[in-house]
Amino acid sequence: MPKECRRRTSKDLGLPGTGLGEGCRPERRAAGKQTCEELELLHSAAERAQPSGAAAAAMDAPRVPQVTITPEGGGSSREMQQEDWGDAVDGTLRRKLSNSSISSTGSSVAESEDDLLSDTESRSKGLVTLEHLLDAGDIKPWWKLKTIVHWPFSATQRRKLNWVQLAGHKGNFKAADEGTILKKFSEFEMQCFEKLKQDVLLSFVPEYHGVVEKDGESFLHMTDLLANFDLPNVMDCKMGVRTYLEVELGRARERPRPREDLYRKMVEVDGEGPTPEEHSQRAVTKPRYMQWRETMSSTHTLGFRIEGTKKSDGTCRTDFKKTRSKQDVMQVFADFVGGSGTITASYLSRLTEIQKALKTSEFFKRHEVIGSSLLFIHDHTGRAEVWMIDFGKTTALPEGQTLRHDVPWTEGNREDGYLWGLENLIHTLQAVGAGGTGREAADTHTH
Ligand code: I3P
């Protein structure tokens, strides 16, 4: 089961006193590992931040982004320093959006299969790095932005920065006008949003406002899904039985690029994961890693997996790599909805609507939907929504070809198992609503 993060103490950070949570166990830090710890760091810093100038003028906004910054590249990683805090919260720390494969992790990632993809596609992977604006000549470490969620701010310390990304999904974001976000441009995703304008799925995806240029880079401008929530609870479920594109598989086969960072991530979860050969190479290819991830989690068994959750109380959980059984998934859901039948029912109703729309959607029929998530959001008012997000790896099929999305994948058929996963997700949530433990609700459909 996933571990809960602990809140880092001011002592950990070398910062003056901040309010701190207790009771979470310490976790060993590992490069590339998704953690919640840094999320708490920014919260602590933000609580003390004194907005000034334009930021102070915008103090009527109730939320600020909460970010998880995961240092990349073992040797070069470091904790956030006190000097960074002011920057992080007053905006002088610029979010530099670039391909962190190059900027942060050096050769191991730069050697990945992704580098065989187009530049646009590679950049669309959603990696965010942060760079200081001051000290242009100074070489600073790069950080990978993993999670952005809202955080409640005291009345006197509010800033208007409503943007969001989910735990477990990497994202490239910039703050935008109220209620909107900018996401790093991806050709695939842009094409999806354009096509979705004429599709029945339109009401289930974030509103898309077009491409904008900022600081010399392109972004997709879209609605911030959290904007209308008060202290939202957020969950990201990655849909489908497969999380890599067939094209990635083919390219990896033609030109294998074993990666040490993925080997390390694998070993961290399961020392027996790598084959003897991979152990001796101390590296695994990306498709191999992705397939292993799928079998460790519920992707293969249920056709979806939980990537991360963030609750209104600040509890963040991102390590669901071994959450595989229906019982475990149910427990996470039960905890997420806090036993609320109303929230569960609202989620189910929305999921059923999405399911219905998917079955008639022309867009869905004609696309291989990989790495896309369903985003669950609810708050204490009882408001609960589910949205389809992340289309950076959603690719159009050749003219005339269509997918069923509920049949097994065999290489070449491009099936993604999205609908099968959704059906299982609905059954899982129904079992949660019925107060089941998961044991008695073993009615999961199998291929
Ligand atoms: C990552 C996850 C991402 C994937 C990333 C993996 O593994 O599968 O979906 O990015 O590849 O490392 P984990 O969840 O275990 O951290 P894409 O979906 O963009 O392929 P990457 O390391 O090449 O960014």
Side-chain angles (χ1 to χ4, degrees), residues 296-308:
M296 291 299 285
S297 66
S298 58
T299 291
H300 272 188
T301 51
L302 295 173
F304 71 91
R305 74 175 179 229
I306 298 169
E307 289 280 299

Side-chain angles (χ1 to χ4, degrees), residues 33 44-45 57 62 80 86 119 206 214 223 256 271 275 286 321 372 396 435:
K33 183 180 180 184
S44 300
M80 287 283 275
D119 183 48
K214 195 167 180 179
T223 296
T275 62
K286 183 166 174 185
K321 285 183 180 165
S372 180

Side-chain angles (χ1 to χ4, degrees), residues 34 114 125 170 238 259 262 265 286 289-290 293 305 321 393:
Q34 293 170 9
D114 298 302
K125 282 163 20 65
K170 293 160 285 193
K238 191 177 272 194
R259 283 171 55 176
L262 298 182
K265 284 206 285 185
K286 183 166 174 185
Y289 176 78
M290 301 292 263
R293 281 278 278 123
R305 74 175 179 229
K321 285 183 180 165
K393 289 171 93 172

Side-chain angles (χ1 to χ4, degrees), residues 231-235 310-312 336 347 376-380:
L231 299 177
N233 298 272
V234 187
M235 176 189 277
K310 167 72 172 66
K311 292 178 72 183
S312 59
F336 178 64
Y347 277 151
F376 292 75
I377 319 163
H378 69 269
D379 67 15
H380 62 92

